[in-house]
Amino acid sequence: MTSPSPCPILSLLTDDLICRIRSKIAEEPDKKSFRLTCKTFLRVDSLSRTRLRVLRPEVLPGLIAKFESLEVLDLSLCPRVDDGMVVLMVGAIEGTTGEGRRRRRRIRTLVLRRATGLRYMGLEMLVRACGESVETIDVSYCCGFGDREAQSLSLAVGLRDLRLDKCLNVTDVGLAHVAVGCGRLERLSLKWCMEVTDLGIELVTKKCLGLRFLDVSYLEVTSESLRCIAMLPVLGSLAMVSCPLVDDVGLSFLGSGCPLLKVIDISRCDGISATGICSVVKGHPNLVQLNASHCMVELSSALLQLLKDSKNLNTLIVDGARVLQSTLHTIGSGCKSLVEIGLGKCTGLTDSDIRELVPGCTRLKILNLTCCVSITDASIAAIVYSCRKLVCLKLESCSLITEKSLEMIGTCSKLLEELDLTDCVGINDTALGYLSMCSELICLKLGLCTGISDKGLFFIASNCSKIRELDLYRCSGIGDNGMAALSGGCKKLKKLNVSYCNLLTDRGMEYIGRLEDLSDLELRGVKGITAAGLTAVAAGCKSLSELDLKYCENIQDVGFWAVAFYLKNMRQINVSNCTISDMALCMVMSSLPCLQDAKLVNLTRVSVKGYELALKASCGRLKKVKMLASLKFQISPELLQTLTARGCRIRWD
């Protein structure tokens, strides 16, 4: 008698349980594996999926119709999306269910960043189709967008978050349409909208009284705009980076207005001084974050006294200011809540200043001391013994730091996740041995540290298995054995820079090829690599999305064919000054379905015809391409116009 076949485990799971299992999956590759497991998982994924991000616009209508719970539609990777494609998308958004009843998709977020093929008619159709459900729209870097597109956006009456960064043709007229139509706005970013003036800002502040976040960075607005902004009753965060026409008078308006202001970024505003910053701090005792980098000559005693009374301040960035003797003691003794301090490029900063600052900053997690050239091991000792919660420490170009500092960091800073030691010439293998005790390290930058070798990398790889990003730019002592150590101990590495590490050969590339999670690899100027090495990397690192091969002059065409065959996720590639041929370039440009950014400068073996064939093969996908300026007058004008029309920005070197 035969026993009945066992019941499949999946039949015991309801759709609800499977949905709950899916919700616990965080990484996108794991989500992809989930939906490819079986038809049941694929069906449940379709029913519960809320976000869609695609590369090819032709599949959009079908996917939108398939995912009934869709809330986030991200078209930022589709520069080819145009008004014609929107017609098909609208039909899918307003599509029918299996029973024939119309079921509108409740799209809450539209990401149209760099969708340069889209114009006002298509944008209007898309906004109307989404109706009042859409709350967030991002059209950043749609450089051709102007007032008519802004008018189309104004139809989204339920809009709460709008990002118009670098929409260069939007003027006060377009902004007025948005202000009138989108009165519920809570977040508005106008960064690099160079045609917007004080008038546009005034209209926004009068109509959108619910604004909680406003970014006017890089605009040529004056203090009159700040007078209007100061009238916003619930504004909590203001960014105005590099606004050259704003002065202390404008900051005084902010000081007496915006009662709920807690976050302000006034970095690189050349017209302001410590006096204006004092007005803001004095008027907002509950300030949480202040970024005043590169906008004042020195940290005045008046400002420091005001900061001392800011009990809730957790972020203070004053990069580029001159530090007077014994002034930081005031901050250390008063600002007990500080979590982040930025002192990068501060002149006059000494060990004694650090010793006065850090004892009171026991909650500190992020400290930036970039280019503080007078800092020595004594400062590091004070930091690590006082700030036990430190997770990020930036010491770029602190040339007086030695292995003693790394010993103290390794002993005391067990929570450290990010460390920047770029151009710290006192760092050696012994120092990396001490640093390896920081087992939580995720990001380590060692560029221009010429005193380290493969031995030091062995120490790091033996204990820092969580590292995701490693920068070894111009570390001349790093070779193949170092890559062997990394491939064995740092298997989660996603970003690796070994540019100009000229001891590397094809053997080192074979070890790099074992880093299966690698997504960003810089090999610029590594002349020991041949086609065999590049093939090993391409075959092993199939997740690579960015690859820099500039000045890799000994790679033959076979290596580039391997790139074309294996690296289907490649989005950005640099083959400038390589010995690639016409045929290999065409193969690469035509075979990489995700390619969006290509740098093709000084390719001596590629003819004008080769350039044209390669560009034609990829013109539907490219967003950026860089070539020699002389080609501007040799490549077909019609082809260049087609590239531009399809959303590709051409840069001439």
Side-chain angles (χ1 to χ4, degrees):
M1 182 176 178
T2 59
S3 59
S5 59
C7 179
I9 186 65
L10 291 181
S11 66
L12 302 178
L13 300 177
T14 65
D15 287 355
D16 182 59
L17 284 174
I18 298 175
C19 281
R20 293 179 66 180
I21 293 171
R22 181 191 178 279
S23 68
K24 303 296 183 183
I25 303 174
E27 299 293 331
E28 188 57 40
D30 296 334
K31 290 181 180 179
K32 183 176 181 180
S33 298
F34 172 87
R35 57 180 173 263
L36 293 178
T37 301
C38 62
K39 291 183 178 179
T40 299
F41 281 15
L42 180 61
R43 177 177 57 80
V44 171
D45 178 80
S46 299
L47 292 174
S48 58
R49 190 168 181 177
T50 60
R51 183 182 182 90
L52 178 61
R53 190 185 193 197
V54 297
L55 289 167
R56 293 159 42 214
E58 58 268 22
V59 302
L60 270 171
L63 291 177
I64 293 173
K66 182 179 180 182
F67 302 133
E68 295 185 359
S69 300
L70 198 62
E71 294 182 355
V72 179
L73 181 57
D74 187 344
L75 306 181
S76 60
L77 300 181
C78 293
R80 285 187 295 161
V81 170
D82 55 19
D83 293 356
M85 179 56 64
V86 167
V87 174
L88 301 177
M89 289 168 53
V90 166
I93 293 173
E94 298 176 340
T96 60
T97 64
E99 294 79 18
R101 291 179 284 107
R102 298 184 68 79
R103 188 182 189 280
R104 182 188 294 270
R105 303 295 183 268
R106 293 186 60 83
I107 306 294
R108 298 185 183 278
T109 300
L110 277 174
V111 183
L112 304 173
R113 190 183 307 118
R114 299 187 190 278
T116 51
L118 198 59
R119 285 296 176 263
Y120 72 94
M121 291 183 65
L123 191 58
E124 180 177 334
M125 286 189 290
L126 191 55
V127 170
R128 287 187 184 277
C130 294
E132 294 188 17
S133 65
V134 66
E135 297 178 350
T136 300
I137 297 180
D138 184 354
V139 291
S140 300
Y141 301 98
C142 293
C143 300
F145 272 26
D147 293 339
R148 299 192 75 173
E149 285 75 20
Q151 185 176 5
S152 298
L153 292 172
S154 69
L155 299 174
V157 294
L159 199 61
R160 298 183 183 277
D161 186 344
L162 177 59
R163 301 166 201 174
L164 293 167
D165 299 349
K166 217 164 189 177
C167 291
L168 300 178
N169 295 323
V170 173
T171 70
D172 296 336
V173 175
L175 198 54
H177 286 298
V178 171
V180 173
C182 307
R184 301 180 192 174
L185 270 181
E186 295 180 0
R187 298 177 60 87
L188 177 62
S189 182
L190 300 169
K191 190 185 301 182
W192 286 304
C193 291
M194 306 305 294
E195 297 298 319
V196 172
T197 69
D198 291 337
L199 178 60
I201 302 300
E202 181 181 0
L203 290 169
V204 168
T205 56
K206 286 182 177 180
K207 295 294 183 180
C208 303
L209 296 178
L211 276 178
R212 298 180 182 275
F213 170 85
L214 179 61
D215 191 341
V216 294
S217 298
Y218 304 99
L219 303 191
E220 294 188 353
V221 293
T222 70
S223 294
E224 285 302 310
S225 285
L226 295 192
R227 185 200 297 271
C228 300
I229 292 171
M231 303 301 291
L232 291 170
V234 295
L235 188 69
S237 180
L238 174 63
M240 39 182 285
V241 178
S242 192
C243 292
L245 303 183
V246 170
D247 56 22
D248 291 342
V249 174
L251 292 190
S252 69
F253 296 141
L254 289 180
S256 58
C258 295
L260 300 184
L261 190 65
K262 292 185 177 181
V263 178
I264 185 167
D265 187 347
I266 49 178
S267 54
R268 299 189 183 276
C269 289
D270 298 334
I272 67 176
S273 67
T275 302
I277 300 172
C278 284
S279 301
V280 175
V281 177
K282 185 177 181 180
H284 300 90
N286 294 320
L287 206 62
V288 175
Q289 296 180 23
L290 173 63
N291 187 342
S293 59
H294 303 288
C295 65
M296 56 182 168
V297 176
E298 67 181 25
L299 285 172
S300 67
S301 56
L303 176 58
L304 291 169
Q305 287 298 324
L306 289 170
L307 290 173
K308 182 180 179 180
D309 297 328
S310 300
K311 303 301 181 184
N312 296 323
L313 193 67
N314 65 32
T315 299
L316 176 62
I317 302 176
V318 290
D319 299 342
R322 183 167 68 244
V323 177
L324 303 179
Q325 188 173 5
S326 302
T327 55
L328 293 185
H329 172 73
T330 306
I331 295 176
S333 61
C335 303
K336 301 293 185 180
S337 300
L338 279 175
V339 174
E340 177 179 358
I341 299 178
L343 298 169
K345 298 184 179 180
C346 284
T347 57
L349 190 68
T350 64
D351 290 337
S352 61
D353 295 315
I354 297 297
R355 283 195 294 263
E356 291 179 349
L357 171 67
V358 296
C361 300
T362 56
R363 300 181 183 181
L364 199 64
K365 293 184 178 181
I366 302 172
L367 179 59
N368 183 3
L369 296 174
T370 299
C371 296
C372 295
V373 294
S374 298
I375 294 301
T376 70
D377 297 333
S379 288
I380 304 303
I383 292 167
V384 299
Y385 290 129
S386 298
C387 309
R388 297 299 180 116
K389 297 181 180 180
L390 205 64
V391 296
C392 176
L393 181 59
K394 299 181 181 181
L395 299 170
E396 179 182 348
S397 298
C398 294
S399 54
L400 301 181
I401 299 297
T402 71
E403 63 187 56
K404 293 180 180 179
S405 290
L406 275 294
E407 181 179 7
M408 291 181 283
I409 290 174
T411 303
C412 300
S413 300
K414 298 298 185 181
L415 301 178
L416 197 66
E417 297 180 0
E418 180 178 349
L419 180 62
D420 189 347
L421 296 169
T422 304
D423 201 21
C424 291
V425 295
I427 301 304
N428 54 28
D429 290 337
T430 304
L432 295 188
Y434 294 132
L435 181 61
S436 67
M437 291 186 283
C438 297
S439 58
E440 299 297 315
L441 270 179
I442 295 176
C443 175
L444 178 59
K445 298 183 179 182
L446 299 168
L448 299 169
C449 292
T450 54
I452 65 173
S453 68
D454 293 340
K455 181 180 178 182
L457 278 194
F458 175 80
F459 290 138
I460 295 296
S462 64
N463 200 43
C464 301
S465 60
K466 295 182 180 180
I467 283 187
R468 301 287 196 278
E469 180 178 348
L470 181 61
D471 186 352
L472 300 169
Y473 175 80
R474 289 191 184 273
C475 291
S476 55
I478 299 298
D480 296 336
N481 291 334
M483 299 304 103
L486 290 179
S487 67
C490 301
K491 294 184 178 297
K492 296 181 180 179
L493 205 61
K494 290 184 176 294
K495 188 173 182 178
L496 177 63
N497 186 351
V498 289
S499 296
Y500 301 102
C501 294
N502 285 316
L503 294 181
L504 288 174
T505 67
D506 288 341
R507 187 169 72 90
M509 296 304 105
E510 292 176 7
Y511 291 121
I512 290 177
R514 299 176 186 178
L515 298 169
E516 296 181 356
D517 291 343
L518 203 64
S519 62
D520 187 336
L521 178 60
E522 295 187 48
L523 298 170
R524 180 177 297 200
V526 183
K527 299 184 184 299
I529 305 175
T530 68
L534 184 56
T535 300
V537 169
C541 304
K542 293 186 176 65
S543 297
L544 271 179
S545 61
E546 296 185 23
L547 180 61
D548 189 343
L549 298 170
K550 187 176 182 178
Y551 294 119
C552 292
E553 300 169 351
N554 295 314
I555 298 176
Q556 301 82 20
D557 281 354
V558 176
F560 294 108
W561 292 342
V563 169
F565 183 77
Y566 290 110
L567 301 181
K568 299 304 181 182
N569 292 314
M570 184 63 60
R571 291 173 55 189
Q572 180 174 318
I573 192 168
N574 188 348
V575 294
S576 298
N577 297 89
C578 290
T579 54
I580 190 171
S581 69
D582 284 1
M583 184 179 296
L585 181 63
C586 289
M587 180 71 72
V588 168
M589 299 291 282
S590 63
S591 302
L592 302 180
C594 301
L595 189 65
Q596 296 183 356
D597 188 340
K599 296 179 177 64
L600 312 174
V601 178
N602 200 28
L603 303 181
T604 55
R605 293 184 60 207
V606 177
S607 65
V608 174
K609 187 67 174 178
Y611 272 107
E612 291 183 340
L613 290 173
L615 293 173
K616 287 178 181 178
S618 58
C619 69
R621 303 185 301 274
L622 282 179
K623 286 185 177 181
K624 297 179 184 177
V625 65
K626 186 176 183 180
M627 298 176 288
L628 277 178
S630 58
L631 291 171
K632 186 175 183 179
F633 307 101
Q634 300 178 52
I635 294 177
S636 164
E638 291 78 14
L639 175 57
L640 297 180
Q641 290 173 7
T642 300
L643 283 167
T644 303
R646 294 196 176 187
C648 180
R649 182 161 64 92
I650 306 173
R651 292 169 291 174
W652 303 105
D653 187 61

